[in-house]
């Protein structure tokens, strides 16, 4: 699947258009990057023969042709995303970072906008004209990290080329979680100026097999008081196994660093990832810590779009449940539903669907579930509540337009409203019992225009900033500001992101409506 963002001509500036499909997931980004066609730019004119003005040898800056500057690094070229190279160019680094910082921990309200945000973070684009872009790159990588997209963030760092100490620290944290830190340790051992962090230096010395030097660094740091109490104890147990064997287990920190997490693992006191920050869930996807830990990690990551539904389904169906209650009931319901769907029996499917839907709703996984099964449910003759669920699932899926066309003429006012939005039409009526209905309907008015603070930005080479502001307005709109919600959707539509606007509107209405059933 290749996602492309279609951008219209705005304010006299023409951008390359591409058919927009579903936002990239963490599974798709690498395939897209590998399959992306090369971009060849023809010269405007044949240059005249150069003539030297002096015999002075000029200063020459050398850079690998395939190594973009740090500020412009990205995994998704404009030929894939449809986004212009000038995405950030007219903005200031300070303004962009101010928009991104809150989004690290407060993710967009709906998956459609989370997907858009991830594409923006992975896009190749020139940095702001007023800066080299190192700080913006750090903010982009930080956001991907906090959203659980650790492998894509690590791949983005690999495109940077020469690392600064600040970028090395980011890359090292990512590598610790993916288990690929050995190569970075070799870089650090050859270039010690990249990090003054003593635990990092000690860890990397042991990775090269020089435990004696690692102990020397530890003893010096401990004598000079340059190690925290936690790091000092962890490193001593790591470097002296006999001491570790005679010591009582350590108390787990509330917010360990990736290196502390690996040190606990190395001394035989591995920390459970469930209470830890989202990036640590990536460690459990291997299944080395057991199926339950893998299930919990997969659900956490799928909930925020860090893995796609197929990977989640693979984990759900890997084994038979070992117990009952909680996540095990969800696994059982999903497996029974998949079996019923394979049987083709409408009665069995109806029963299983009515059981699995509330389980997915409780876990915040209705959108991944719908992307997996929504299309398959549309041609089945289901009964009662199961038919309503199938319609909602179809509207939450990638095939929402086909589902909407089949709902034309339905007597259900809420489904008729949603079907109109799914087809890019302003609904004829506004159900009073549907969340945000009036604000959503207004976004598809014929004379709809983006808010005044967003509309002029793309023409100023500030499209990225405009899209971040639209995501921010959508969130405040979902929290109760109808004007902001309408303005956000109008902005997305005006900038050519019609598909994203429709999916965001459908997801907000349906997820809020279903949330009220809990």
């Amino acid at each position: 699947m290749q996602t492309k963002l279609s951008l219209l001509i705005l304010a006299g500036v023409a951008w390359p258009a591409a058919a927009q499909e579903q936002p990239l997931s963490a599974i798709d980004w690498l395939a897209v990057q590998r399959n992306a066609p090369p971009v060849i730019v023809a010269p405007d004119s044949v240059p005249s023969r150069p003539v030297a003005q002096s015999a002075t040898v000029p200063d020459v800056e050398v850079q690998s042709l395939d190594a973009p500057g740090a500020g412009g690094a990205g995994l998704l070229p404009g030929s894939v995303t449809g986004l212009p190279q000038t995405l950030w160019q007219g903005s200031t680094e300070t303004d962009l970072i101010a928009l991104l910082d809150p989004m690290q921990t407060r993710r967009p309200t709906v998956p459609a906008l989370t997907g858009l945000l991830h594409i923006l973070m992975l896009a190749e684009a020139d940095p702001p004209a007023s800066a080299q872009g190192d700080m913006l790159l750090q903010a982009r990588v930080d956001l991907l990290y906090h959203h659980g997209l650790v492998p894509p963030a690590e791949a983005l760092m690999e495109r940077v080329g020469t690392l600064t100490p600040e970028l090395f620290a980011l890359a090292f944290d990512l590598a610790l979680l993916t288990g690929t830190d050995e190569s970075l340790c070799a870089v650090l051992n050859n270039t010690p100026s990249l990090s003054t962090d003593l635990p990092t230096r000690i860890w990397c010395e042991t990775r090269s097999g020089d435990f004696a030097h690692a102990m020397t660094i530890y003893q010096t740091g401990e004598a000079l008081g340059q190690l925290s109490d936690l790091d000092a104890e962890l490193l001593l147990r790591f470097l002296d196994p006999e001491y570790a064997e005679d010591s009582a287990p350590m108390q787990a920190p509330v917010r360990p660093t990736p290196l502390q997490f690996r040190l606990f693992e190395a001394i035989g006191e591995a920390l459970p990832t469930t209470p830890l920050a989202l990036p640590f869930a990536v460690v459990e996807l291997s299944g080395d810590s057991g199926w339950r830990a893998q299930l919990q990690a997969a659900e956490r990551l799928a909930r925020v779009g860090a893995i796609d539904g197929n990977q989640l389904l693979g984990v759900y169906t890997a084994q038979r449940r070992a117990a009952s209650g909680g996540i095990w009931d969800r696994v059982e319901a999903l497996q029974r539903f998949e079996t019923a769907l394979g049987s083709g029996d409408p009665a069995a499917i109806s029963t299983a669907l009515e059981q699995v839907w509330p389980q997915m709703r409780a876990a915040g996984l209705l959108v991944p579930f719908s992307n997996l099964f929504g299309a398959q449910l549309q041609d089945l003759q289901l009964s009662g509540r199961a038919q309503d669920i199938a319609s909602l699932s179809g509207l939450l899926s990638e095939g929402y337009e086909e589902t909407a066309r089949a709902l034309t003429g339905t007597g259900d006012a809420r489904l008729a409203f949603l079907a109109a939005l799914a087809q890019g039409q302003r609904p004829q009526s506004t159900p009073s019992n549907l969340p945000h209905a009036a604000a959503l309907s207004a976004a598809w008015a014929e004379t709809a225009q983006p808010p005044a603070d967003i509309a002029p930005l793309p023409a100023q080479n500030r499209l990225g900033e405009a899209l971040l502001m639209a995501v921010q307005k959508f969130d405040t709109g979902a929290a109760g500001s109808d004007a902001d919600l309408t303005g956000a959707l109008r902005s997305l539509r005006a900038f050519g992101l019609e598909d994203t606007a429709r999916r965001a509107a459908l997801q907000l209405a349906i997820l809020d409506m279903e949330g009220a059933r809990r």
Side-chain angles (χ1 to χ4, degrees):
M1 177 189 67
Q2 290 190 354
T3 297
K4 298 186 178 180
L5 304 178
S6 175
L7 300 178
L8 302 180
I9 296 176
L10 182 66
V13 180
W15 298 318
Q20 185 194 172
E21 301 169 8
Q22 182 191 4
L24 292 172
S25 74
I27 300 304
D28 305 308
W29 65 267
L30 185 55
V32 170
Q33 177 67 8
R34 288 174 174 167
N35 297 330
V39 180
I40 302 174
V41 180
D44 294 332
S45 60
V46 179
S48 59
R49 180 174 298 175
V51 179
Q53 301 299 317
S54 74
T56 304
V57 179
D59 293 329
V60 179
E61 182 177 332
V62 179
Q63 181 178 5
S64 172
L65 291 177
D66 61 353
L75 296 180
L76 305 178
S79 58
V80 171
T81 65
L83 293 167
Q85 192 71 19
T86 57
L87 183 66
W88 313 113
Q89 206 167 52
S91 303
T92 68
E93 208 168 35
T94 302
D95 288 343
L96 293 173
I97 292 172
L99 286 168
L100 290 175
D101 279 352
M103 295 182 182
Q104 290 185 10
T105 53
R106 190 180 67 244
R107 300 174 187 87
T109 306
V110 294
L113 295 188
T114 301
L116 172 61
L117 181 59
H118 294 165
I119 289 173
L120 288 171
M121 297 302 96
L122 292 169
E124 279 185 3
D126 293 332
S130 59
Q132 293 187 359
D134 284 11
M135 292 176 61
L136 176 58
L137 176 66
Q138 292 178 45
R140 290 163 56 200
V141 174
D142 274 338
L143 187 143
L144 292 169
Y145 172 83
H146 285 97
H147 282 217
L149 278 78
V150 174
E154 184 179 30
L156 178 58
M157 292 301 298
E158 291 173 357
R159 298 293 302 274
V160 169
T162 303
L163 294 173
T164 64
E166 293 78 15
L167 294 177
F168 176 85
L170 283 176
F172 190 63
D173 280 350
L174 294 166
L176 285 166
L177 293 180
T178 59
T180 59
D181 53 288
E182 188 170 0
S183 59
L184 278 179
C185 278
V187 172
L188 177 61
N189 291 337
N190 291 329
T191 314
S193 60
L194 281 175
S195 179
T196 59
D197 181 65
L198 291 186
T200 298
R201 295 285 303 279
I202 293 167
W203 175 268
C204 283
E205 289 291 347
T206 65
R207 292 290 272 166
S208 67
D210 196 344
F211 283 85
H213 192 206
M215 180 60 82
T216 299
I217 297 174
Y218 170 80
Q219 290 171 339
T220 303
E222 175 70 357
L224 296 176
Q226 295 176 335
L227 295 170
S228 69
D229 291 343
L230 175 61
D231 285 339
E233 182 65 19
L234 269 174
L235 288 166
L236 180 57
R237 296 185 185 209
F238 173 61
L239 295 170
D240 188 347
E242 291 185 2
Y243 169 77
E245 288 181 5
D246 295 334
S247 302
M250 292 184 63
Q251 182 175 355
V254 176
R255 288 182 291 274
T257 66
L259 181 52
Q260 289 169 347
F261 178 85
R262 285 304 187 191
L263 285 169
F264 268 99
E265 183 180 63
I267 66 174
E269 298 181 27
L271 301 176
T273 63
T274 302
L276 302 182
L278 182 61
F280 293 92
V282 174
V283 176
E284 304 290 9
L285 289 180
S286 65
D288 292 344
S289 298
W291 190 33
R292 188 172 190 276
Q294 186 184 26
L295 283 165
Q296 292 174 326
E299 285 192 340
R300 293 180 70 190
L301 293 168
R303 196 175 296 127
V304 298
I307 63 172
D308 71 1
N310 284 312
Q311 190 170 359
L312 175 65
L313 180 62
V315 177
Y316 267 139
T317 56
Q319 303 178 40
R320 291 294 178 186
R321 69 171 180 173
S324 61
I327 198 169
W328 301 117
D329 288 348
R330 193 151 52 247
V331 169
E332 179 72 9
L334 191 283
Q335 291 182 356
R336 286 183 177 178
F337 169 74
E338 192 180 31
T339 300
L341 194 61
S343 73
D345 180 358
I349 295 171
S350 295
T351 299
L353 181 58
E354 290 182 23
Q355 292 174 349
V356 74
W357 185 258
Q359 291 283 353
M360 294 294 107
R361 180 178 61 212
L365 296 169
L366 288 182
V367 172
F369 174 85
S370 297
N371 282 328
L372 285 169
F373 301 110
Q376 300 177 58
L377 295 171
Q378 299 314 301
D379 296 329
L380 300 174
Q381 297 299 317
L382 305 179
S383 57
R385 169 65 176 157
Q387 185 59 56
D388 291 337
I389 292 173
S391 297
L392 295 176
S393 182
L395 291 170
L396 286 176
S397 74
E398 298 171 18
Y400 64 88
E401 282 190 88
E402 294 181 12
T403 300
R405 285 192 288 270
L407 290 173
T408 301
T410 180
D412 187 313
R414 292 189 298 181
L415 287 179
F417 179 92
L418 295 171
L421 293 184
Q423 297 175 83
Q425 304 166 2
R426 186 172 190 181
Q428 296 180 355
S429 61
T430 304
S432 59
N433 59 345
L434 187 67
H436 313 289
L440 297 176
S441 178
W444 272 266
E446 292 183 6
T447 58
Q449 296 294 325
D453 58 339
I454 293 182
L457 299 186
Q460 302 168 12
N461 291 332
R462 298 165 65 188
L463 176 62
E465 183 178 352
L467 293 175
L468 292 177
M469 291 176 65
V471 172
Q472 189 179 67
K473 281 185 180 291
F474 188 96
D475 290 343
T476 58
S481 173
D482 283 358
D484 280 351
L485 180 55
T486 300
L489 292 170
R490 287 180 177 179
S491 298
L492 294 172
R493 299 188 66 222
F495 303 156
L497 304 181
E498 177 70 23
D499 176 75
T500 301
R502 294 185 196 179
R503 289 173 66 87
L506 290 170
Q507 289 170 5
L508 179 65
I510 294 172
L511 295 181
D512 275 8
M513 181 173 65
E514 285 298 300
R517 289 180 174 271
R518 292 188 183 184

